[in-house]
Amino acid sequence: AQRVTQPEKLLSVFKGAPVELKCNYSYSGSPELFWYVQYSRQRLQLLLRHISRESIKGFTADLNKGETSFHLKKPFAQEEDSAMYYCALLIQGAQKLVFGQGTRLTINP
Amino acid sequence: SAVISQKPSRDICQRGTSLTIQCQVDSQVTMMFWYRQQPGQSLTLIATANQGSEATYESGFVIDKFPISRPNLTFSTLTVSNMSPEDSSIYLCSGTGGDTEAFFGQGTRLTVV
């Protein structure tokens, strides 16, 4: 069965500290994974996807097929990173997304 | 990138009534989807809106309760029928175009009283 797990519902770190939001998946096919972010009073939007292998707003995420993980990392958190983060898995063929439960990240000054 | 306009943004409805939510995309998208986000929970896919044919519903969701239309590549509606307080939720539409990036509407916050 396809599933995305984000074990932390809430995560709070201080400004300047490193951040890691965990995401694990279960999928029998070739995984295509995304991180979506929702800032306060804004719509859900794409942060990054594993196939582009790029850094967005200082965030990176590496797909680890051995550990079936796609953790989101940033070396130095900023206050504007406070938001709700969702890890999502694309189901091939149907082209639909399965979302994790989401992690609310709070960056303390 | 595509921009999706969703309306209404919120509504308070009486139980037993129906509400239709509309999504308009500013460009053609290949796929459109409807999600529900209950308080404190993740996004759950309701159905895939298929252009010119019946929507494809996920397990636990049925057409009689959530009829969906998609008359063209830029517009879709979701109706929440015969509402009960358990239907109180945020409803989101999304679309994907040539690549796999999904774009989302602003969401409709529905409260059933």
Side-chain angles (χ1 to χ4, degrees):
Chain A
Q2 49 259 18
R3 185 166 54 242
V4 176
T5 303
Q6 293 177 250
E8 304 136 330
K9 214 168 184 177
L10 301 169
L11 184 61
S12 181
V13 302
F14 285 102
K15 177 182 170 182
V19 172
E20 183 178 46
L21 287 80
K22 291 184 167 41
C23 172
N24 288 91
Y25 67 91
S26 173
Y27 187 52
S28 57
S30 181
E32 186 171 347
L33 287 144
F34 304 79
W35 278 97
Y36 282 84
V37 61
Q38 188 166 26
Y39 301 103
S40 179
R41 301 184 189 282
Q42 294 187 30
R43 69 183 68 198
L44 197 59
Q45 59 186 286
L46 178 66
L47 179 63
L48 54 79
R49 67 181 94 185
H50 92 268
I51 59 172
S52 57
R53 302 182 67 82
E54 57 190 345
S55 173
I56 304 292
K57 299 185 178 183
F59 285 98
T60 58
D62 291 318
L63 176 62
N64 186 323
K65 291 186 179 180
E67 295 182 359
T68 60
S69 68
F70 188 56
H71 304 325
L72 183 69
K73 300 177 184 179
K74 184 169 182 176
F76 306 104
Q78 299 171 296
E79 288 184 65
E80 54 264 34
D81 296 328
S82 294
M84 193 75 180
Y85 291 80
Y86 293 95
C87 183
L89 167 71
L90 181 72
I91 305 304
Q92 308 287 355
Q95 295 294 294
K96 59 187 180 183
L97 290 171
V98 174
F99 284 86
Q101 300 91 320
T103 298
R104 181 169 296 283
L105 176 63
T106 302
I107 308 302
N108 300 306
Chain B
S1 62
V3 176
I4 300 181
S5 299
Q6 182 175 343
K7 59 181 182 181
S9 58
R10 60 178 62 226
D11 208 341
I12 300 173
C13 300
Q14 296 289 323
R15 68 178 68 198
T17 64
S18 298
L19 176 72
T20 295
I21 303 167
Q22 298 182 1
C23 273
Q24 177 73 55
V25 193
D26 68 348
S27 60
Q28 292 186 352
V29 290
T30 310
M31 311 287 289
M32 288 187 77
F33 304 92
W34 287 95
Y35 291 87
R36 181 173 72 183
Q37 187 175 26
Q38 294 185 303
Q41 297 189 27
S42 186
L43 287 78
T44 301
L45 182 63
I46 297 172
T48 303
N50 300 310
Q51 192 240 334
S53 65
E54 191 172 292
T56 304
Y57 290 84
E58 298 298 307
S59 176
F61 297 96
V62 295
I63 188 171
D64 289 347
K65 177 67 176 176
F66 298 102
I68 287 169
S69 78
R70 190 178 174 197
N72 55 53
L73 290 175
T74 63
F75 185 78
S76 180
T77 67
L78 167 77
T79 299
V80 186
S81 303
N82 188 24
M83 288 184 284
S84 67
E86 293 70 37
D87 295 320
S88 297
S89 187
I90 295 173
Y91 292 86
L92 288 160
C93 65
S94 80
T96 57
D99 70 7
T100 51
E101 176 179 355
F103 301 95
F104 288 85
Q106 311 96 307
T108 297
R109 184 179 294 272
L110 171 64
T111 302
V112 183
V113 296

